[in-house]
Amino acid sequence: MAYKIRAILDVKEDVFRDVLVYETSSLEDLHFTIAKSFGFKGQEMASFYLTDDDWEQGEEIPLFDVSEDGSALTMSKFTVEQVLKLEGAKLIYVYDFFSMWTFYIEVTDIAYKTTEELPFIALSFGEAPDEAPEKEFTAEDNDFDDFDAFDREDGFENIDDLDLDNY
């Protein structure tokens, strides 16, 4: 069985690749296929993120296990079929955390037979820019200008009154 996966690069101009991979391919294999289809070497740190239909970022599946005990989930531990179960399933893919190349990944078709040797780039549209666009990260709207509204006698101590020698 083959999965047709569209990887859309998050840039102003339309840039995407449709790749075909086996259902038994690991997410690590998918990572290398996507990276190479956009002209990257695939040597930078990367992660897939589970997402809902509105592209809300969820749990991370990193390329490498960076946990202290070696028990973290990684791309090599999951197959495409395990994570992208149905047509329309989505992931967010971030490649190179210094540049933050961001991709929207979606299963566009599940074919039961293919004559192509996989992985295979079925469609290449647009050219990736030389540099990743700058990302603007915004937090929820918090009114920190109104900090004095906290009553310090209800739990906040004055830092000058603390005896730091006791710590």
Side-chain angles (χ1 to χ4, degrees):
M1 193 166 26
Y3 276 60
K4 183 177 178 184
I5 297 173
R6 177 162 285 173
I8 303 168
L9 181 57
D10 186 19
V11 291
K12 289 183 182 187
E13 300 295 321
D14 289 338
V15 179
F16 63 88
R17 306 289 183 265
D18 286 352
V19 296
L20 295 172
V21 295
Y22 291 114
E23 79 277 10
T24 56
S25 299
S26 69
L27 287 183
E28 183 177 26
D29 294 336
L30 180 60
H31 147 72
F32 285 116
T33 300
I34 293 169
K36 289 178 181 178
S37 74
F38 282 90
F40 302 125
K41 294 181 181 177
Q43 298 174 337
E44 304 298 332
M45 187 60 184
S47 288
F48 285 103
Y49 295 89
L50 301 179
T51 184
D52 60 16
D53 287 338
D54 296 324
W55 298 103
E56 295 293 325
Q57 184 174 317
E59 186 176 356
E60 178 182 18
I61 304 172
L63 179 59
F64 300 111
D65 184 350
V66 293
S67 67
E68 290 183 19
D69 62 358
S71 64
L73 301 175
T74 62
M75 291 182 197
S76 64
K77 295 178 182 177
F78 290 97
T79 64
V80 168
E81 184 178 42
Q82 289 174 314
V83 177
L84 300 167
K85 298 178 190 273
L86 303 170
E87 196 171 309
K90 299 175 181 178
L91 293 171
I92 295 173
Y93 170 64
V94 177
Y95 176 78
D96 186 353
F97 288 107
F98 290 113
S99 298
M100 295 297 291
W101 292 100
T102 304
F103 301 82
Y104 297 101
I105 308 300
E106 184 172 4
V107 176
T108 58
D109 192 18
I110 300 174
Y112 292 94
K113 292 184 180 179
T114 182
T115 59
E116 303 293 338
E117 183 67 30
L118 303 183
F120 177 75
I121 300 171
L123 177 64
S124 179
F125 185 88
E127 293 295 322
D130 292 335
E131 293 183 12
E134 287 191 32
K135 299 288 181 197
E136 181 178 324
F137 294 99
T138 57
E140 291 181 20
D141 188 24
N142 293 316
D143 191 4
F144 291 110
D145 294 334
D146 196 20
F147 186 76
D148 289 334
F150 290 106
D151 187 333
R152 292 181 188 207
E153 293 186 20
D154 285 344
F156 288 104
E157 297 181 37
N158 186 330
I159 190 92
D160 295 331
D161 294 338
L162 291 175
D163 183 5
L164 299 177
D165 293 330
N166 289 332
Y167 292 99

